[in-house]
Amino acid sequence: MIRKFSFTVCALLVAISGFSQEVEFTEYNLDNGLHVILHKNNLAPVITVGVMYHVGGKDEETGRSGFAHFFEHLLFEGTDNIGRGEWFNIVGANGGSNNANTSQDRTYYYETFPSNNLKLALWMESERMLHPVINQIGVDTQNEVVKEEKRLRIDNSPYGKFNAAVSENIFKKHPYKIPVIGTMKDLDAASLDEFKAFFKKYYGPNNAALVVSGDFETAQAKQLIEDYFGDIPAGTKVIHPNITEDPITKMIVDTVYDSNIQIPLVLLAYRTPAMHEHDAYVLDMISTILTDGKSSRMYKRMVDNDKEALQVLAFNQSQEDYGVYIMGALPMGDMPLDQLVTSMDEEIAKLQNELISEREYQKLQNIFLNRYVNSNSTAQGIAASLVSYYTMYGGKTDLINKEIDIYKSITREEIKEVANKYLNKNQSLKLYYLPDDKENTANNQ
C-alpha cells in the first residue's frame, strides 16, 4: 500500500516495467470463510505467504487492552506440531524470514521463503490458525517480552508517548483512544482462559485472509491451501465496534512530560475520516506537501529559512474507522513553542486559501508514483498490499490497481477544499510535549 516505504537501479527498473500492467491476482473463498488471494509472479524464485486477521486493538474488551498485540507474539510460541521456540529455527533453516505486526484494526503474520518452500509456509500458517499451544508458560514468557518492548519503544524512548497522548485526546469514545500495546496492568490481570477465548473468537478462518505472492504454480497452491486450511472450522461471526465520535468543536490543549527528552515538541492534531474515504487520500497529499523532504513547505520555511525549528513532521495516520492527522516541530534553541504553532497555522492557511502551483502538483504526483512502485516491488510488498486492501477496505482487493489512479485524480482544488474541511483550529488538539523538568519547560510555552 502507498500508506506505508532502496534497492538497486536494476531492481527499480524491473519494478517500474512490471507496473506498466496491472497486478494480476485470483481470489476466492474456502467453505469455512477463509478468503484466499493468489498473485503469481515467476520473475524471482521467492514466495511470500501471509495471513491477516481482522482483529486489532479496537476489538479488545474494556480492562483487557493489549490482547491483539500480545497475540502477535504469543502465536509464535509453538503449535501441536511445532515445538516451543522452534518456529524461527524452522524458518531460518529453510532460508526464510518472517515477521508480524499489529494495528488498531488488524494483525498480520507472514513468511518469505525460496519458492520451493511454499508447502512449508502454508503448513506453518495453518498450524498457527488451527492449533497453537496457548498455555501459562507461553503467556508468562510473552508477557515479559511485551513489557520489555513497551519499556524500549515507549516508556524509555524519546518522544515515545506522544502518539498515545494524541489518541487519548482525539478520541473520547472509540477504542482508538487506547494504545495498541495496551497496559501491563490489563495483561497481568488476564487469566489463561481469557487468552484462549480471545483466540477462539477472532482467529478463525472466517475472520482472516490468506495471501500467496510470488513464484508458484496456481493449481498446486490451490490444492495445498485446501489440504491445509479447508478443514479448519469456522468461528462465530465477528462483530467489530461501531462507535461514532462527537465532532471536535473547540481546540483541545494538553501538556505531556517526558523524562527521556531534552528538546520539547509541539504538535497539532486533527481527527480525520476513515482510510477508505476519498478525503483520506487527499490528506496523504497534504502531509507530503508540508513535510516530505527538504523541499517541503514546512521544512523550507521553519528549518531552512526562518531557523525556527530543528525538525518538522506531518503525517496522516489512516485507520479503518477514523484517521488522525498530526503535524509538529522541534524548536531551534529557545524558540517559543507557540511561535512554531503560529508558523504551522500559517502554512495550513496557505493551503486553505491558495491553490498549490502546477509545478508543486506535478512533483506531488511523481512522489506518489514512486511510492507506489517501491511498496509493490517485491512479492512481500505485493502480498501485504493485496491482503490489506481486502481486509481493511471491505473486500476491495483491486485497489492495488486503482489506488494510484485515485491519487492521480486528486485536483489542486480538492487539496484546498480538504484543508478547509478538516484542518481548522476549533477542530484541533494542541499538545505541548515537554522535558520532565517544570522549571526549564515553563519558559517554552
Side-chain angles (χ1 to χ4, degrees):
M1 296 172 64
I2 286 182
R3 301 173 196 178
K4 308 187 277 192
F5 306 92
S6 307
F7 23 70
T8 65
V9 172
C10 179
L12 181 59
L13 290 173
V14 169
I16 292 173
S17 63
F19 274 88
S20 62
Q21 298 180 349
E22 291 190 344
V23 176
E24 296 183 356
F25 61 90
T26 301
E27 57 183 338
Y28 61 96
N29 289 326
L30 299 186
D31 291 341
N32 57 14
L34 178 67
H35 190 74
V36 180
I37 308 168
L38 305 177
H39 165 69
K40 181 180 178 180
N41 186 333
N42 302 119
L43 288 177
V46 175
I47 52 100
T48 291
V49 171
V51 177
M52 183 170 286
Y53 295 91
H54 198 175
V55 56
K58 74 176 182 188
D59 296 294
E60 297 153 354
E61 295 183 9
T62 302
R64 289 297 180 265
S65 63
F67 266 46
H69 173 260
F70 191 84
F71 268 85
E72 176 195 321
H73 295 268
L74 188 62
L75 294 188
F76 283 102
E77 273 286 306
T79 73
D80 287 353
N81 296 301
I82 299 175
R84 183 169 182 265
E86 286 301 308
W87 190 284
F88 297 100
N89 293 336
I90 293 172
V91 172
N94 287 276
S97 62
N98 68 145
N99 213 332
N101 52 72
T102 310
S103 76
Q104 289 282 12
D105 304 303
R106 89 297 177 276
T107 306
Y108 182 47
Y109 303 87
Y110 64 92
E111 288 79 33
T112 297
F113 279 113
S115 54
N116 60 349
N117 282 312
L118 173 62
K119 183 176 182 179
L120 174 64
L122 290 169
W123 173 73
M124 293 182 77
E125 285 303 330
S126 69
E127 282 285 303
R128 195 198 308 269
M129 183 182 292
L130 180 59
H131 43 214
V133 173
I134 301 175
N135 58 23
Q136 198 62 52
I137 294 175
V139 168
D140 291 344
T141 299
Q142 296 308 319
N143 196 311
E144 292 304 314
V145 171
V146 172
K147 286 179 179 178
E148 182 59 28
E149 180 182 352
K150 185 174 183 293
R151 285 190 287 265
L152 179 66
R153 292 175 50 194
I154 299 175
D155 298 341
N156 299 320
S157 177
Y159 309 100
K161 303 171 188 175
F162 88 77
N163 206 16
V166 168
S167 295
E168 69 182 18
N169 277 288
I170 291 291
F171 300 105
K172 300 302 182 182
K173 301 177 181 179
H174 198 283
Y176 285 166
K177 65 184 178 182
I178 301 172
V180 174
I181 202 166
T183 70
M184 297 306 99
K185 179 182 177 181
D186 287 352
L187 291 176
D188 287 342
S191 68
L192 181 60
D193 286 342
E194 287 178 292
F195 286 110
K196 290 181 177 179
F198 191 84
F199 176 83
K200 184 177 180 180
K201 182 176 182 179
Y202 291 110
Y203 292 82
N206 53 305
N207 195 45
L210 166 70
V211 64
V212 182
S213 174
D215 180 29
F216 61 88
E217 296 303 323
T218 302
Q220 179 195 28
K222 286 185 173 182
Q223 186 60 57
L224 289 171
I225 291 167
E226 181 63 40
D227 291 346
Y228 287 126
F229 291 90
D231 292 335
I232 299 177
T236 56
K237 183 179 180 179
V238 173
I239 306 298
H240 299 283
N242 183 17
I243 299 172
T244 302
E245 285 280 350
D246 296 326
I248 299 172
T249 58
K250 182 180 179 181
M251 176 184 279
I252 304 165
V253 181
D254 196 11
T255 301
V256 173
Y257 294 94
D258 187 342
S259 61
N260 300 303
I261 66 172
Q262 296 180 336
I263 301 172
L265 167 69
V266 63
L267 296 164
L268 299 178
Y270 310 81
R271 190 189 304 145
T272 56
M275 61 196 306
H276 63 271
E277 296 188 27
H278 185 78
D279 287 353
Y281 294 93
V282 183
L283 285 159
D284 287 341
M285 285 195 150
I286 289 174
S287 173
T288 300
I289 293 167
L290 291 176
T291 62
D292 187 5
K294 295 185 177 182
S295 63
S296 63
R297 289 189 173 190
M298 280 173 53
Y299 191 96
K300 286 172 67 176
R301 172 181 175 166
M302 299 175 68
V303 179
D304 277 353
N305 296 337
D306 295 347
K307 303 293 190 292
E308 297 175 335
L310 286 171
Q311 188 55 271
V312 293
L313 64 92
F315 59 93
N316 185 38
Q317 185 171 290
S318 297
Q319 299 174 121
E320 188 174 21
D321 299 339
Y322 289 99
V324 180
Y325 185 80
I326 301 174
M327 55 194 301
L330 297 167
M332 176 75 78
D334 58 357
M335 179 65 61
L337 296 185
D338 283 338
Q339 175 57 46
L340 301 182
V341 172
T342 298
S343 295
M344 289 190 285
D345 283 340
E346 289 175 357
E347 289 304 317
I348 291 173
K350 288 180 183 178
L351 287 174
Q352 293 173 328
N353 295 305
E354 305 169 11
L355 294 179
I356 67 171
S357 69
E358 284 286 0
R359 181 178 180 181
E360 195 170 19
Y361 179 73
Q362 189 56 56
K363 171 189 170 185
L364 203 55
Q365 294 292 341
N366 293 340
I367 289 172
F368 276 82
L369 177 59
N370 185 58
R371 289 182 189 177
Y372 179 78
V373 171
N374 287 353
S375 63
N376 293 298
S377 63
T378 64
Q380 187 171 300
I382 292 175
S385 293
L386 286 167
V387 75
S388 294
Y389 289 130
Y390 173 79
T391 305
M392 303 306 301
Y393 289 82
K396 297 181 179 180
T397 318
D398 61 347
L399 271 174
I400 195 168
N401 292 314
K402 295 180 179 179
E403 189 175 61
I404 190 61
D405 292 327
I406 294 174
Y407 285 108
K408 288 167 65 176
S409 73
I410 294 170
T411 65
R412 297 186 298 151
E413 289 77 12
E414 280 184 288
I415 291 171
K416 180 172 177 284
E417 176 187 332
V418 168
N420 277 283
K421 188 174 181 180
Y422 298 102
L423 306 184
N424 298 302
K425 291 182 181 181
N426 66 320
Q427 299 169 289
S428 69
L429 161 69
K430 179 164 63 175
L431 180 69
Y432 297 102
Y433 195 95
L434 308 177
D436 195 6
D437 182 335
K438 310 298 190 297
E439 180 179 349
N440 291 337
T441 56
N443 295 326
N444 285 301
Q445 296 190 47

